Amino acid sequence: MGIIDVIDLKKYFPVKRKAFAKQEWLKAVDGITFSIKDGAVFALVGESGSGKSTVARLILRLSLPTSGSIVFQGDDIQKLRRDSLLQFRKSVQIIFQDPFASLNPRMTVFDTISEPLKIHKIVNKTDLKDRVISLLESVGLQADILNRYPHEFSGGQRQRICIARALAVSPKILVADEPLSALDVSIQAQILNILQGLQKQSNISFLFISHDLRVVQYFSDEVAVMYLGKIVEHAGTNDLFSRPFHPYTVELLSSAPRIKPDGRKREILKGDVPSPIDIPPGCPFHPRCPKRFDPCDRIMPELKETKGRFVSCHLY
């Protein structure tokens, strides 16, 4: 049991390719299970379209699952109402990918950060300004920006404002959906250091979604690898990066650029990701897998525990 437990979660979207055609389903998330431990950083990685952001929306209750459950501190979040739902919203916050799109261009920095404090009635009016200034300082910004607007800031500064807003309500979990991808590389390191410092000081749990494997290796405690809506491997960060089991994980890690070559040949994943509407039978990765053999195109491998980790592959 973790602070959040995801149990056999599915999210299917209805689609029709042509008028009067048969109803089909896009399987964005297809029966995944994992737990985020209290104070830990749980990372989701995978190619675009693997279902990572859909998982984030489901955990935030911004989208309803087709089936399965998400349990937060013992309560199914789909059953939360009124006060308990408000408490859940306060406890689980998000840092979006695009820091400009997630800020209201008509609101000043003070209005943006003070809004959640007012909604949840965390501080009184006399202490409001001091609390906002304290939050800004915690992310490396100064009080002289209180009355400025989002368009006056760089991407890195905007993301710091978004982090300060998320921290305003003292959440227990931060969902960070590609929080660095819209930023310059030089700024990414600064934002990552801020997140790491906050995680250690406040013991906040993270669901960290990223396609940058170097960042995931540096920041996370556990990693789950997604492919076509399924988790194909789930392990501790050090174990997964030092010895990946699933052929997709092996290919994914070997295709990542390395600053210091270690002698290993860099592989590029061959083929395209199949459509989530027409997922191939058997293992969904088998059309691109260099190690496929007889049962791979017929039988779906189960995600089962093997040598201290979970892996979905007929090789194990």
Side-chain angles (χ1 to χ4, degrees), residues 138-281:
S138 72
V139 295
L141 297 173
Q142 303 302 316
D144 59 0
I145 70 167
L146 283 176
N147 296 315
R148 293 167 63 183
Y149 291 86
H151 71 272
E152 301 179 63
F153 299 100
S154 66
Q157 289 172 318
R158 291 177 201 147
Q159 195 64 294
R160 290 171 191 246
I161 294 167
C162 292
I163 294 170
R165 178 180 59 183
L167 293 173
V169 292
S170 301
K172 296 179 180 178
I173 298 175
L174 275 178
V175 176
D177 187 4
E178 300 275 10
L180 308 177
S181 62
L183 306 176
D184 292 338
V185 175
S186 59
I187 305 300
Q188 288 181 6
Q190 297 175 21
I191 300 300
L192 186 61
N193 287 335
I194 288 172
L195 294 177
Q196 189 176 50
L198 293 170
Q199 193 266 333
K200 289 180 178 178
Q201 292 170 18
S202 306
N203 202 40
I204 299 174
S205 301
F206 272 82
L207 173 61
F208 189 75
I209 296 170
S210 179
H211 65 275
D212 192 328
L213 297 173
R214 296 167 302 168
V215 172
V216 169
Q217 185 177 13
Y218 174 76
F219 186 52
S220 66
D221 299 304
E222 292 183 68
V223 182
V225 181
M226 289 192 68
Y227 187 78
L228 283 177
K230 292 184 177 293
I231 290 177
V232 296
E233 187 166 359
H234 172 194
T237 302
N238 292 335
D239 292 337
L240 186 129
F241 278 86
S242 62
R243 192 186 173 200
F245 280 14
H246 197 282
Y248 176 65
T249 310
V250 173
E251 297 287 319
L252 196 66
L253 296 184
S254 66
S255 66
R258 289 184 286 271
I259 296 175
K260 294 181 179 180
D262 55 6
R264 290 182 296 174
K265 184 180 178 182
R266 184 182 172 192
E267 301 288 344
I268 302 297
L269 273 169
K270 297 178 181 178
D272 296 322
V273 180
S275 166
I277 303 172
D278 294 319
I279 296 176

Side-chain angles (χ1 to χ4, degrees), residues 1-7 34-40 71-75 173 205 222:
M1 293 288 289
I3 190 168
I4 272 196
D5 299 297
V6 174
I7 305 164
F34 65 86
S35 292
I36 302 175
K37 297 175 183 175
D38 194 10
V71 179
F72 173 67
Q73 293 186 324
D75 296 317
I173 298 175
S205 301
E222 292 183 68

Side-chain angles (χ1 to χ4, degrees), residues 80-91 120:
L80 299 178
R81 299 292 183 271
R82 297 181 181 177
D83 290 346
S84 58
L85 178 57
L86 187 66
Q87 185 61 38
F88 170 75
R89 298 286 189 208
K90 176 176 176 288
S91 299
H120 293 282

Side-chain angles (χ1 to χ4, degrees), residues 107 110-125 128 132 168-169:
M107 293 176 67
F110 176 79
D111 293 334
T112 296
I113 298 177
S114 64
E115 184 179 40
L117 296 170
K118 294 174 183 176
I119 291 172
H120 293 282
K121 300 176 182 178
I122 293 172
V123 297
N124 55 48
K125 289 184 178 180
L128 192 58
V132 171
V169 292

